[in-house]
């Protein structure tokens, strides 16, 4: 009996020691570094393959979405507004053209035709056009000597910008087709234009008209409208002219101009009759399309820039101290 007890005790002691050893070995292994690279490589391969599969699926989804997405409505194509501007060299020219160009930059679908009254194109105008980022055509033609204003002449003595506007009309006839949609507006370089004016003229069918501010010795001149039709004109100066309107007060559809290949401004037109010389051959008064709230809204002003005085400049020039002419003004 005692012998058996001893044996059992031994077994327990043995078991105890073996367990302790096992436990110690396990504890030692815990903090040991192990060679896991193989294991990690397998893991990262697995992750990479999964990523690839996911991005493939995402691409698939995108493709399907593109097929399902309803087509964006096509942007309406606006008729191009061709703005024709005669211009000539003088102290305020750059200021005028900077102001006008920066207005036109805000108008979509616009083509600026600038015609210099000069024997050759100037770099001032060429550079300004290039810098503007506008769609443009740069032309030049000199007003014949007999029709040109001389220094000191009152500016109303002879019509201005006539051959320049006619050259622009010729350019349109040579470079555009009857099927091209557009509207033509004669914008002198010194007037002031509201952006809304361009919206009003955009869809001109034949000839559209509106008031002009600060013109004809009045606050404004305007076509008179009854039941949506032009019936006459509010003007005090030569009211019997066929179209008693300023150049800034109308726009003509490109098609109408192309369909009438001989319509042009008359160089010999009597004072105030320049606008009529073109319009007479194109429309009747009943056909005019009144814009700008039935011609009750002024959106263009016949502003005129004062000639700057150069008294000091001239005095300095006499002393050989004139300003640096390489600085453009
Ligand atoms: C008014 C009208 O608003 C003009 O559209 C019209 O051409 C002119 O009368 C006229 O009856 O001939 P007004 O302010 O008196 O205009 O004329 P300007 O502004 O001096 O000239 C009209 C345009 O012609 C301007 O763009 C100007 O730069 C240009 N111009 C003027 C020339 O190209 N050459 C010149 O010798 C003078
Ligand atoms: Mn003017």
């Amino acid at each position: 009996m005692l012998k058996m007890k001893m044996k059992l005790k031994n077994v327990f002691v043995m078991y105890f020691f073996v367990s302790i050893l096992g436990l110690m070995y396990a504890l030692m292994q815990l903090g040991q570094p192990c060679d896991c690279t193989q294991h990690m490589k397998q893991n990262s391969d697995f992750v990479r393959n999964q990523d690839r599969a996911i991005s493939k699926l995402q691409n698939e989804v995108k493709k399907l979405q593109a097929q399902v997405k309803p087509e964006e409505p096509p942007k309406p194509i606006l008729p191009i507004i061709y703005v024709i501007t005669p211009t000539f060299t003088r102290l305020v020219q750059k200021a005028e053209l900077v102001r006008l160009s920066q207005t036109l930059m805000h108008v979509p679908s616009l083509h600026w035709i600038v015609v210099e009254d000069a024997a050759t194109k100037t770099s001032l105008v060429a550079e300004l056009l290039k810098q503007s980022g506008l769609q443009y055509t740069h032309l030049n033609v000199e007003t014949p000597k007999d029709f040109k204003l001389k220094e000191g002449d009152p500016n109303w003595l002879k019509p201005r910008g006539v051959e320049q506007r006619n050259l622009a009309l010729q350019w349109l006839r040579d470079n555009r087709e009857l099927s091209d949609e557009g509207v033509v507006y004669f914008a002198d370089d010194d007037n002031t234009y509201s952006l809304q004016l361009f919206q009003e003229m955009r869809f001109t069918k034949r000839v559209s008209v509106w008031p002009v501010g600060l013109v004809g010795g009045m606050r404004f001149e305007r076509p008179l409208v009854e039941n949506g039709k032009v019936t006459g004109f509010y003007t005090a100066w030569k009211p019997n002219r066929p179209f008693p309107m300023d150049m800034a007060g109308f726009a003509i559809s490109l098609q109408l101009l192309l369909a009438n290949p001989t319509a042009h401004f008359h160089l010999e037109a009597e004072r105030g009759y320049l606008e009529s010389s073109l319009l007479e051959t194109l429309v009747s008064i009943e056909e005019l399309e009144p814009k700008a709230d039935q011609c009750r809204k002024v959106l263009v002003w016949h502003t005129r820039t004062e000639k700057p005085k150069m008294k000091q400049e001239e005095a300095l020039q006499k002393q050989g101290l004139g300003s640096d002419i390489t600085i453009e003004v």
Side-chain angles (χ1 to χ4, degrees), residues 156-204:
W156 46 259
L157 198 66
K158 296 187 176 116
R160 284 129 278 149
V162 182
E163 290 302 63
Q164 291 71 34
R165 297 186 190 100
N166 284 338
L167 182 64
L169 290 178
Q170 194 54 51
W171 184 89
L172 286 169
R173 287 173 177 134
D174 293 343
N175 293 278
R176 291 295 179 271
E177 285 167 17
L178 211 53
S179 55
D180 291 328
E181 258 197 282
V183 51
V184 177
Y185 181 53
F186 301 101
D188 291 350
D189 59 5
D190 56 343
N191 295 337
T192 305
Y193 306 90
S194 160
L195 293 179
Q196 203 194 321
L197 180 69
F198 299 94
Q199 295 175 11
E200 296 287 336
M201 72 174 75
R202 179 80 69 182
F203 298 98
T204 299

Side-chain angles (χ1 to χ4, degrees), residues 1-10:
M1 183 67 185
L2 192 71
K3 231 178 175 178
M4 248 180 68
K5 257 189 187 167
M6 280 298 284
K7 246 187 189 168
L8 206 60
K9 195 180 164 191
N10 281 349

